């Protein structure tokens, strides 16, 4: 059952990457778009633990590194770190508790935005942080948090279903 879960989660990551990099840029209404890979990495880490978060963070980071120009490992390092930190919060995980995932989503998006700002803009002398914050980070934070409400619930439902299926298989038939 574990390998099936990993394969399905990887399919989720691939679908999220395709949607994020191919479909969202074509929608003219969106000034910013939700970071689906960040949401999935955070969710898998928060639900599955540190190792799960780091593994899916590695995969999501490699997708980002291979698609966007720049040094390999730029996004991978960030996504692994986000997966690990959210995996630490697993001990506070309750299925019905939505406040902590939303707070973590905001923190992750701010960390992602600051990381990109510092290493992509600030080092090149573009220091208009107010513009970057108001025009890029704030809309992306809002879109990501709203999307987190939907995607996190979907992943939670899917995770619960897999656990129920696993329990049914483990019960002996007498």
């Amino acid at each position: 059952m574990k390998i099936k879960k990993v394969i399905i989660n990887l399919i989720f990551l691939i679908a999220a990457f395709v949607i994020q990099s191919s479909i969202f840029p074509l929608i003219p209404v969106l000034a910013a778009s939700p970071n689906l890979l960040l949401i999935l990495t955070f969710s898998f880490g928060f639900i599955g633990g540190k190792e799960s978060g780091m593994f899916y963070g590695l995969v999501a980071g490699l997708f980002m590194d291979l698609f966007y120009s720049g040094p390999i490992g730029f996004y991978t390092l960030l996504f692994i770190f986000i997966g690990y930190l959210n995996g630490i919060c697993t001990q506070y995980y309750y299925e019905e508790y939505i406040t902590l995932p939303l707070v973590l989503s905001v923190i992750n998006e701010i960390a992602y935005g600051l990381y990109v700002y510092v290493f992509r803009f600030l080092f090149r002398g573009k220091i208009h942080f107010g513009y970057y914050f108001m025009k890029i980070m704030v809309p992306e934070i809002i879109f990501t948090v709203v999307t987190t409400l939907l995607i996190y619930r979907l992943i939670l439902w899917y995770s619960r279903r897999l656990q129920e299926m696993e329990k049914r298989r483990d019960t002996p038939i007498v």
Side-chain angles (χ1 to χ4, degrees):
M1 184 59 85
K2 185 85 167 157
I3 193 76
K4 181 179 177 182
K5 183 177 180 180
V6 169
I7 290 172
I8 292 172
N9 287 347
L10 288 175
I11 291 171
F12 278 153
L13 279 174
I14 291 169
F17 175 71
V18 168
I19 292 169
Q20 180 176 324
S21 62
S22 302
I23 296 174
F24 283 159
L26 298 176
I27 301 173
V29 177
L30 295 177
S33 59
N35 195 336
L36 299 177
L37 291 176
L38 189 71
I39 294 170
L40 288 177
T41 301
F42 134 73
S43 298
F44 293 146
F46 187 63
I47 293 171
K50 293 183 283 192
E51 294 83 13
S52 177
M54 288 175 62
F55 173 72
Y56 295 115
L58 172 71
V59 174
L62 285 174
F63 283 158
M64 294 285 287
D65 281 334
L66 293 174
F67 185 73
Y68 296 107
S69 63
I72 297 292
F74 179 77
Y75 289 105
T76 303
L77 176 66
L78 176 66
F79 277 87
I80 289 173
F81 187 65
I82 285 174
Y84 179 78
L85 289 180
N86 288 297
I88 291 174
C89 296
T90 300
Q91 60 190 349
Y92 306 112
Y93 167 69
Y94 298 104
E95 288 185 8
E96 293 80 27
Y97 194 52
I98 193 67
T99 308
L100 182 60
L102 289 179
V103 169
L104 287 175
S105 177
V106 169
I107 291 170
N108 291 327
E109 188 61 45
I110 290 172
Y112 175 84
L114 289 176
Y115 181 80
V116 170
Y117 172 76
V118 167
F119 291 109
R120 293 277 187 200
F121 298 106
L122 189 62
F123 281 173
R124 292 190 292 159
K126 298 180 180 184
I127 55 174
H128 302 290
F129 181 73
Y131 177 82
Y132 177 79
F133 183 76
M134 293 306 294
K135 297 291 184 183
I136 297 173
M137 276 183 64
V138 170
E140 193 168 310
I141 289 169
I142 292 169
F143 279 127
T144 301
V145 169
V146 169
T147 309
T148 298
L149 285 170
L150 302 171
I151 292 178
Y152 179 75
R153 287 291 182 187
L154 175 71
I155 292 172
L156 193 60
W157 174 82
Y158 156 74
S159 177
R160 244 186 276 144
R161 295 281 299 179
L162 280 179
Q163 287 175 353
E164 289 172 5
M165 288 172 53
E166 193 173 295
K167 285 180 184 177
R168 276 189 260 143
R169 286 187 180 173
D170 289 342
T171 55
I173 300 175
V174 181

